[in-house]
Amino acid sequence: MDIFALVFIIGLVSSNIAWSNAEGNPDSFNVLDYGAVGDGNTDDSKAFLVAWKAACSAETGTPEVVIPEETTFLVYPIIFTGPCMTDTINFTISGTIIAPNSPSVWEKHDASQWLAFSGVTGLIVDGMGMIDGQGKGWWDQSCKYHPDLEGCTKLAPTSLKLLSCNESSLSNIRFTNSPQTHVLVRGCNGLKVDNVLIQSPGNSPNTDGVHIHASRNLVITNSKIGSGDDCISIGDYTSNIYIAHVECGPGHGISIGSLGKGGNFVQVENIEVRNACFKGTTNGARIKTWQVGKGFVRKVTFENLEFNSVKNPLIIDQNYCNIRGACKEQSTGVQISNVIYKGMVGTSTTEIAINLNCSRSVPCHGISMESIQLKSDRDGKEVTATCIHAHGQETGVVPGPCLHD
């Protein structure tokens, strides 16, 4: 066959494929059509980027990047950038995306990042697939657990970052074994997270489920999170956060903070956590601020929570410092006010089931506790409540009362 005939045949086949895709779903951008192999060993990063750029630059329809089922894609550190041409863009994960299992891959990359979306409005990440961070290599060299190890690492990749992604959503995805935080939300407005499953060992270091920072108008619902750190952590400059129907455990609970470590002016308000359950966690509903911080945490509601063998079901620590248990009193502090605890039941593994440790200089005000029944998880043991510089009102609280007028 001469070269001209070969070129003609290739062109004809390509035309037929393009025509077939257009006839089928012209809005679909399957990574396999852009060179991805999906065998779990070949680096498919370039194919993912090319498919994303094609979808993001589509001017009509509702483009959808497709990661097909029954395939496993090895993807190196990558950023999917916007803005895109259409109002919405879908990123559908039906298969499995895995990270390189060797930390050495990140030597020329940002060690904090694996997969990231940046500046994408109308992003819809969905599907029944899995994102596997293969974090064990990082955990084995973590400074937290191996401080004497030469070259130990304090920073490890987050599996998925959503950066300045407005009016977007993340749903139905399974996350496992992230090197560090599983999902980071930063600078987002109007994000919905629903029906996600996050799983990593309870002893995996710093593997927060979802961490929120500098974001507003977020909803997290119907999710199950078990990790080696906070199931959900709320950082600074956040407002209008609604969390409901979340199962937490193992992990460190649902935490506001820590806040104010650098002495900055903290701004956190309008946080609601409802209808959540905690199983075997270190904390339940926690607010944690550094002594050197300033600013405020206000208008927080924890309601209808269930605790099953939780070490610290209700805890405020307004006196956090570098030397735990030996913090010198400071004149500064983050003002914590208008916090509601309502409708809670369950068991504590420690004697102090309610521990509100507020600052002498900047006491907690407007604390309300109502209809709370906590007991020890061990027969015959009693639990107590401790409130230091915490002012408010309580009704029907066991153990209690402890709040100051």
Side-chain angles (χ1 to χ4, degrees):
M1 181 182 299
D2 61 43
I3 187 65
F4 297 104
L6 181 61
V7 169
F8 174 78
I9 292 173
I10 292 174
L12 183 61
V13 170
S14 299
S15 298
N16 287 338
I17 291 175
W19 178 85
S20 175
N21 287 342
E23 285 291 313
N25 183 2
D27 295 339
S28 180
F29 299 82
N30 191 317
V31 293
L32 292 176
D33 295 333
Y34 291 85
V37 178
D39 61 1
N41 296 306
T42 304
D43 179 5
D44 288 322
S45 309
K46 184 177 180 180
F48 272 55
L49 266 183
V50 174
W52 170 259
K53 288 179 180 178
C56 190
S57 60
E59 297 183 358
T60 60
T62 305
E64 177 186 27
V65 176
V66 176
I67 291 83
E69 61 185 351
E70 299 182 359
T71 48
T72 299
F73 299 93
L74 173 64
V75 176
Y76 282 55
I78 194 171
I79 302 177
F80 303 104
T81 57
C84 296
M85 298 297 292
T86 54
D87 292 337
T88 60
I89 182 168
N90 292 276
F91 197 93
T92 303
I93 304 172
S94 298
T96 298
I97 303 174
I98 62 172
N101 59 15
S102 173
S104 63
V105 168
W106 272 262
E107 289 179 357
K108 297 182 180 180
H109 298 276
D110 178 357
S112 74
Q113 183 174 292
W114 175 31
L115 307 175
F117 292 91
S118 179
V120 185
T121 297
L123 172 68
I124 301 172
V125 181
D126 198 355
M128 301 302 293
M130 176 178 287
I131 294 177
D132 184 352
Q134 300 208 96
K136 189 177 185 304
W138 290 94
W139 308 337
D140 290 344
Q141 65 180 38
S142 167
C143 293
K144 182 175 181 178
Y145 290 151
H146 309 281
D148 298 327
L149 177 66
E150 184 178 352
C152 71
T153 52
K154 294 181 179 180
L155 184 64
T158 291
S159 281
L160 178 65
K161 289 185 178 182
L162 299 171
L163 310 173
S164 301
C165 293
N166 300 328
E167 304 303 324
S168 298
S169 66
L170 170 67
S171 56
N172 303 316
I173 305 297
R174 292 173 293 158
F175 293 86
T176 187
N177 297 333
S178 181
Q180 205 153 301
T181 300
H182 288 78
V183 178
L184 170 68
V185 178
R186 188 175 72 206
C188 296
N189 179 17
L191 176 70
K192 295 181 180 180
V193 178
D194 182 67
N195 194 37
V196 298
L197 175 64
I198 296 175
Q199 294 177 308
S200 63
N203 63 352
S204 54
N206 304 314
T207 52
D208 292 63
V210 180
H211 178 67
I212 305 166
H213 181 76
S215 297
R216 55 197 173 95
N217 302 317
L218 265 67
V219 175
I220 301 176
T221 52
N222 306 311
S223 296
K224 186 173 182 180
I225 303 172
S227 69
D229 211 309
D230 295 324
C231 293
I232 300 172
S233 57
I234 297 171
D236 203 358
Y237 310 112
T238 59
S239 61
N240 302 330
I241 309 298
Y242 181 78
I243 299 167
H245 301 288
V246 170
E247 295 182 31
C248 174
H252 295 179
I254 295 178
S255 297
I256 298 174
S258 62
L259 301 169
K261 183 177 181 179
N264 59 296
F265 190 89
V266 171
Q267 301 177 65
V268 174
E269 61 183 334
N270 296 329
I271 311 296
E272 295 185 34
V273 180
R274 302 180 186 272
N275 303 304
C277 62
F278 303 81
K279 184 176 182 181
T281 55
T282 305
N283 307 292
R286 176 169 68 163
I287 302 175
K288 182 173 69 172
T289 64
W290 289 73
Q291 289 178 308
V292 294
K294 306 175 185 67
F296 58 82
V297 175
R298 63 194 183 194
K299 298 180 182 178
V300 177
T301 298
F302 296 105
E303 186 172 1
N304 294 337
L305 307 185
E306 179 180 344
F307 308 102
N308 185 349
S309 297
V310 172
K311 186 176 180 180
N312 302 298
L314 304 183
I315 182 169
I316 292 176
D317 186 356
Q318 205 180 3
N319 294 294
Y320 205 71
C321 68
N322 284 318
I323 307 173
R324 301 191 69 176
C327 301
K328 294 182 179 180
E329 191 169 305
Q330 302 283 337
S331 60
T332 54
V334 177
Q335 177 70 71
I336 298 174
S337 63
N338 298 327
V339 180
I340 297 171
Y341 300 95
K342 183 178 180 180
M344 302 182 181
V345 298
T347 58
S348 172
T349 63
T350 59
E351 180 183 347
I352 304 176
I354 299 174
N355 185 3
L356 308 186
N357 178 21
C358 297
S359 164
R360 181 191 300 273
S361 302
V362 189
C364 300
H365 286 284
I367 308 297
S368 173
M369 295 197 293
E370 180 182 348
S371 301
I372 297 173
Q373 300 289 318
L374 300 175
K375 61 183 181 179
S376 175
D377 72 338
R378 288 168 286 181
D379 293 337
K381 295 289 184 178
E382 299 293 327
V383 294
T384 61
T386 298
C387 297
I388 301 173
H389 308 302
H391 300 266
Q393 297 180 342
E394 57 190 296
T395 305
V397 178
V398 178
C402 79
L403 286 172
H404 308 290
D405 293 334

